[in-house]
Amino acid sequence: MTNLSLEEAKTKVKSLRNQLNKWADAYYAKDAPVVEDATYDKSYQELEKLEAQFPELVSSDSITQRVGGEIKSNFSKVEHEVPMLSMGDVFSKTELKEFDERIQKAVGHRVAYNAELKIDGLSLSLEYEDGRLVRASTRGNGSVGEDVTANARFIKDIPQTLPEPLTIEVRGECYMGKESFAKLNTERDAEGKQVFANPRNAAAGSLRQLDAKVTKKRDLSTFIYTWVNPPEQITGQHQAIKAMDKLGFHTNQTGHRFESMDEVFKFIDEYTEKRDSLSYGIDGIVLKVDDLSLQNKLGNTVKVPRWEIAYKFPPEEQETIVRDILWTV
Ligand code: NAD
């Protein structure tokens, strides 16, 4: 709680929104962040707290009420039938416990969670008709994304056809492995080009290319984790991942279905340790209510699903962004 008056809070909210909008534009639209994630997250949390304390200052155009992300005007646009949302985040196990308590209160009993690694990349939607890949798109502003179908055709682990003639949409993360990222930056450096700030920006900048041949030269990968409106026999998130894996999608096999928060905490500790040794970047752990019918029941806010949360790793472990080495598209 702050001691600010309403007028003072109004001024502070305005300045935080302006600042966050500028940072978000650099990060989402230009793939070139100008501050570290921890700095962004701190201001974002400050804005959230002020809006909670002064609800009269909440407005629909606030960054807390919309999915951050712009669409590059020269890309064809894809409307997402099911919105691609953002995700709530917490920064401590205490807050994660509170999330679990909220869930239990809302559904009236204990629930099982699927814990997954939070891959540091950008969301990608893949649509198949009769078993053939027909569309790939970015999250964009959540309702409308960019058409990156031509680019996705050059990502080796994305199946162009499925073993069954299914008409489905799946979603996941497009990322660049650490080794490929280092190699790309070494090459760029040798050519006198600006290097990428981090693997997330390298992935975003490499996928969101009007010339798909540029994407072809970059070593992008995917982890697919969401089956949008899966068939009835799939009732849980863990099961959905296994089923998508069988269809030929590249899925991350480290995820676990847990019945207790103690097990979840152990999983967090394990990957906080292992994080640096993985061949791809992760910035936290995602906890999802495993039961898909409960997910539907819990629903979404305007910005995030109520049934999942990201536990973000401590800020001191995050990469430092150096302004003058940023690569712009
Ligand atoms: P987010 O990236 O923190 O979390 C949501 C995203 O996580 C999803 O859209 C999905 O793409 C991804 N994800 C990875 N693994 C997943 C998994 N296993 N299951 C489900 N989703 C998974 O949220 P956001 O709204 O895209 O971005 C907000 C964050 O971006 C901030 O917390 C901040 O750290 C960063 N950001 C930084 C700056 C900056 O200037 N440095 C600016 C804007 C945003």
Side-chain angles (χ1 to χ4, degrees):
M1 288 279 265
T2 74
N3 296 324
L4 298 182
S5 67
L6 179 61
E7 270 316 300
E8 287 165 337
K10 207 184 236 173
T11 309
K12 184 74 192 161
V13 161
K14 197 173 162 203
S15 108
L16 282 168
R17 280 183 192 153
N18 282 341
Q19 184 63 83
L20 285 162
N21 283 341
K22 279 188 195 141
W23 289 341
D25 181 63
Y27 181 89
Y28 293 114
K30 303 191 176 76
D31 297 321
V34 290
V35 290
E36 288 177 37
D37 285 358
T39 308
Y40 177 91
D41 289 343
K42 199 160 162 256
S43 293
Y44 187 96
Q45 281 174 288
E46 196 180 346
L47 176 60
E48 264 188 331
K49 279 190 188 141
L50 279 172
E51 288 181 346
Q53 194 181 336
F54 300 96
E56 56 273 61
L57 297 183
V58 177
S59 74
S60 60
D61 65 345
S62 174
I63 194 143
T64 60
Q65 306 299 308
R66 58 185 165 82
V67 175
E70 293 304 323
I71 308 138
K72 279 189 184 168
S73 56
N74 34 15
F75 272 92
S76 299
K77 299 181 182 37
V78 174
E79 220 160 291
H80 300 305
E81 243 171 71
V82 176
M84 291 182 83
L85 297 175
S86 179
M87 201 188 299
D89 47 20
V90 295
F91 298 85
S92 69
K93 289 180 182 164
T94 309
E95 287 176 295
L96 202 57
K97 240 188 174 134
E98 286 163 8
F99 165 79
D100 175 46
E101 282 158 13
R102 277 200 304 281
I103 296 288
Q104 288 195 40
K105 201 166 161 213
V107 303
H109 53 82
R110 295 167 62 96
V111 302
Y113 292 102
N114 202 50
E116 299 169 19
L117 302 186
K118 187 167 184 293
I119 315 297
D120 206 3
L122 73 156
S123 331
L124 181 65
S125 151
L126 302 173
E127 292 173 71
Y128 291 80
E129 278 172 21
D130 299 325
R132 286 174 185 281
L133 177 68
V134 291
R135 204 169 301 107
S137 54
T138 63
R139 187 177 78 180
N141 64 15
S143 310
V144 180
E146 296 147 330
D147 189 330
V148 289
T149 315
N151 313 67
R153 297 213 186 273
F154 289 125
I155 300 178
K156 291 186 203 85
D157 66 23
I158 295 181
Q160 299 300 308
T161 53
L162 301 177
E164 297 168 48
L166 297 171
T167 295
I168 59 170
E169 178 182 359
V170 299
R171 292 174 180 175
E173 202 76 354
C174 174
Y175 69 95
M176 185 177 284
K178 288 177 187 170
E179 215 173 280
S180 305
F181 169 69
K183 193 166 162 262
L184 178 62
N185 268 357
T186 307
E187 282 165 14
R188 292 183 71 84
D189 199 29
E191 289 164 11
K193 293 181 182 160
Q194 284 178 308
V195 299
F196 288 100
N198 55 48
R200 188 256 165 218
N201 298 112
S206 301
L207 180 68
R208 302 167 76 221
Q209 285 284 344
L210 283 174
D211 180 359
K213 284 195 235 86
V214 178
T215 308
K216 189 183 178 186
K217 285 191 216 141
R218 309 276 172 83
D219 188 20
L220 293 175
S221 307
T222 60
F223 280 127
I224 301 301
Y225 45 69
T226 301
W227 188 328
V228 180
N229 297 325
E232 263 174 30
Q233 64 272 27
I234 293 179
T235 57
Q237 166 64 10
H238 197 73
Q239 189 194 1
I241 291 186
K242 295 256 175 288
M244 291 187 292
D245 192 72
K246 270 201 174 141
L247 286 175
F249 293 106
H250 189 219
T251 63
N252 190 296
Q253 293 300 313
T254 59
H256 259 280
R257 186 179 180 279
F258 292 122
E259 303 277 347
S260 80
M261 288 304 281
D262 283 343
E263 290 171 299
V264 170
F265 292 149
K266 273 193 204 135
F267 183 80
I268 289 177
D269 292 341
E270 183 186 342
Y271 280 96
T272 306
E273 280 262 306
K274 283 187 183 162
R275 180 188 182 191
D276 288 341
S277 64
L278 296 174
S279 61
Y280 47 87
I282 59 171
D283 63 342
I285 302 293
V286 184
L287 203 58
K288 302 176 182 180
V289 170
D290 189 62
D291 183 326
L292 300 184
S293 64
L294 284 182
Q295 289 187 3
N296 281 336
K297 203 168 150 189
L298 287 158
N300 311 315
T301 70
V302 286
K303 178 162 180 169
V304 300
R306 291 196 188 87
W307 46 265
E308 72 176 351
I309 198 93
Y311 167 88
K312 293 270 188 90
F313 290 130
E316 64 265 22
E317 292 185 35
Q318 292 182 354
E319 72 281 351
T320 301
I321 291 164
V322 183
R323 270 166 199 266
D324 61 358
I325 60 162
L326 290 176
W327 181 86
T328 44
V329 182

